[in-house]
Amino acid sequence: MPLPLYLLALAVFAMGTSEFMLAGLLPDIAAELDVTVGTAGLLTSAFAAGMVVGAPLMAGLARGRSGRTGLLAFVVLFLTAHVIGAVTTSFPVLLATRVVAALANAGFLAVALTTAAALVPAERKGRALAVLLSGTTVATIAGVPGGALLGELLGWRAAFWAVALLCLPAALGIAQGVPAHSATPEEGAGRPALRAELARLRSPRLLLAMLLGALVNAATFGSFTFLAPLVTGTTGLGGLWLPVVLVLFGAGSFAGVTVAGRLADRRPGLVLAAGGPLLVLGWPVLAVLAERPFAVLVLVFVLGALSFAVGATLITRVLYEAAGAPTMAGAFATAALNAGAALGPLVAASALDTAAGDRGPLWASGLLVAVATVVALACRLVLEPPGSSPDKRPAVTEARGGRAHLPGTGEDLRSSRE
């Protein structure tokens, strides 16, 4: 894998730390800014909603500019939002900074996904995505628990300052290591028009991959956002155990995305067929065993691995199905990821007010993955050609004349010029 991929992963680490760290900071933020924990959870949903809107918007604005210029601009905007968030005493202002940070993160990730795909051969998109997403998983292993520990020792504002500081070496690495022209070619050199790229959204297979990715990510974010009240409440562990739980979830997610990176290009069906049903069962099992600390510690690791393995595989499918949209494919994948990240905390927050209490988000996550499984099974009968097997086909069987055959699609994807 080329070095620029790892530099992009460093920036994703900083942004992933910010996106996930609220799971360990919500109680303190709620107490200091005089809002409920459920209301504080809107910070996560606002961030995700900003990324859903920002992904196509920012990717569209970045068209025609060098990848490096766009990436640097988004990192600086992200840093500025965190500085403001670290000093504000107003919950609405903090909420607004999360939206701005989300727009910057969305733009960065959309361009980074496109850049990553352009840096490797077509059949290695899954591996490239795994390297990029490793920044997020390392954030859950080191950055998020570190933020939670900082919040416990120095207050939640220290975590915001830490993220701002992390952006500095990330920006330097991008400026020095990412090629100035690392994205797709200009329209005149063969890049399709924006309208033609957006028209790719009419593909049922692309929409299905996006929907399934959103549902699985909603389940992941729904429970992850409210791990703090579960761990310190129902499970009965002290606040200093929260970073340990987050580390375990992050270690599991790193393992999951690493395995998915090796299988998503060639055997996506294996990951989805094995991981999907296990996730449907896993979240309710965690809810049932939530009072047992040892079981919680084990299951958090397992569910982190399954969630990211299945989620990363589905997002890789989005990139394949959007092969006719070279500059917007990353935006489609980012939008799918964060539509789920916006929906999940909202569903989970409503579940907190039920008789299930702190376990409510876990039951809600199980339901979301169950819906994804039912949709996948129903749509496969319609979309999968008889006798086809995506696991037995190469990721790209033909790449000549602007044509590529994608696994499990039963169709050739031609450039929008044909």
Side-chain angles (χ1 to χ4, degrees):
M1 292 288 105
L3 176 62
L5 272 179
Y6 295 95
L7 297 173
L8 294 175
L10 174 62
V12 172
F13 167 74
M15 295 180 177
T17 296
S18 172
E19 185 173 9
F20 283 100
M21 72 182 182
L22 290 183
L25 303 176
L26 286 183
D28 290 342
I29 292 175
E32 183 174 335
L33 300 184
D34 195 27
V35 296
T36 66
V37 173
T39 299
L42 291 175
L43 295 171
T44 299
S45 293
F47 192 96
M51 289 194 70
V52 173
V53 174
L57 176 63
M58 295 298 180
L61 291 175
R63 283 171 59 94
R65 296 174 176 82
S66 76
R68 183 171 66 190
T69 299
L71 293 168
L72 277 174
F74 292 135
V75 169
V76 171
L77 180 60
F78 189 83
L79 185 156
T80 302
H82 280 75
V83 170
I84 296 173
V87 300
T88 186
T89 58
S90 166
F91 181 78
V93 172
L94 182 60
L95 191 65
T97 67
R98 297 304 289 170
V99 174
V100 172
L103 292 173
N105 193 356
F108 181 89
L109 191 56
V111 176
L113 284 167
T114 303
T115 301
L119 289 171
V120 298
E123 69 275 11
R124 303 190 74 189
K125 287 181 181 179
R127 293 288 299 275
L129 179 63
V131 171
L132 196 64
L133 289 182
S134 69
T136 298
T137 57
V138 171
T140 61
I141 296 171
V144 175
L149 187 60
L150 275 176
E152 187 74 20
L153 298 177
L154 302 176
W156 63 269
R157 297 178 189 277
F160 276 71
W161 282 113
V163 169
L165 291 175
L166 276 174
C167 290
L168 295 177
L172 262 173
I174 292 169
Q176 296 298 318
V178 175
H181 299 285
S182 53
T184 53
E186 298 300 317
E187 258 175 51
R191 189 184 71 185
L194 178 59
R195 180 178 298 179
E197 294 199 45
L198 293 177
R200 187 63 197 155
L201 287 171
R202 293 198 294 264
S203 165
R205 297 181 185 281
L206 174 57
L207 292 176
L208 176 61
M210 292 175 68
L211 174 61
L212 297 180
L215 287 170
V216 170
N217 206 43
T220 304
F221 264 79
S223 286
F224 187 80
T225 298
F226 296 104
L227 272 181
L230 178 80
V231 170
T232 58
T234 300
T235 308
L237 295 173
L240 290 177
W241 273 94
L242 183 57
V244 176
V245 173
L246 296 177
V247 165
L248 287 171
F249 185 91
S253 66
F254 183 80
V257 81
T258 300
V259 171
R262 298 184 180 280
L263 296 176
D265 291 313
R266 300 289 178 176
R267 300 186 64 82
L270 175 64
V271 179
L272 300 179
L278 288 174
L279 271 179
V280 173
L281 293 173
W283 290 117
V285 169
L286 179 56
V288 171
L289 300 179
E291 292 182 354
R292 303 182 182 184
F294 180 75
V296 169
L297 296 177
V298 172
L299 286 170
V300 160
F301 174 87
V302 173
L303 289 168
L306 290 171
S307 295
F308 272 78
V310 173
T313 300
L314 288 169
I315 295 306
T316 300
R317 303 318 304 160
V318 172
L319 292 178
Y320 274 116
E321 300 297 346
T327 64
M328 297 301 291
F332 299 157
T334 303
L337 277 170
N338 290 282
L343 172 67
L346 291 175
V347 174
S350 64
L352 282 172
D353 297 327
T354 66
D358 293 341
R359 306 172 200 240
L362 305 176
W363 290 107
S365 292
L367 178 61
L368 287 166
V369 181
V371 170
T373 302
V374 171
V375 170
L377 290 174
C379 291
R380 182 175 182 178
L381 298 176
V382 177
L383 298 178
E384 195 68 37
S388 67
S389 176
D391 283 348
K392 295 181 180 179
R393 298 182 183 186
V396 178
T397 60
E398 183 183 353
R400 298 186 299 272
R403 178 179 300 181
H405 188 84
L406 302 184
T409 65
E411 61 177 317
D412 287 331
L413 296 181
R414 297 169 175 83
S415 74
S416 59
R417 293 180 174 273
E418 292 185 304

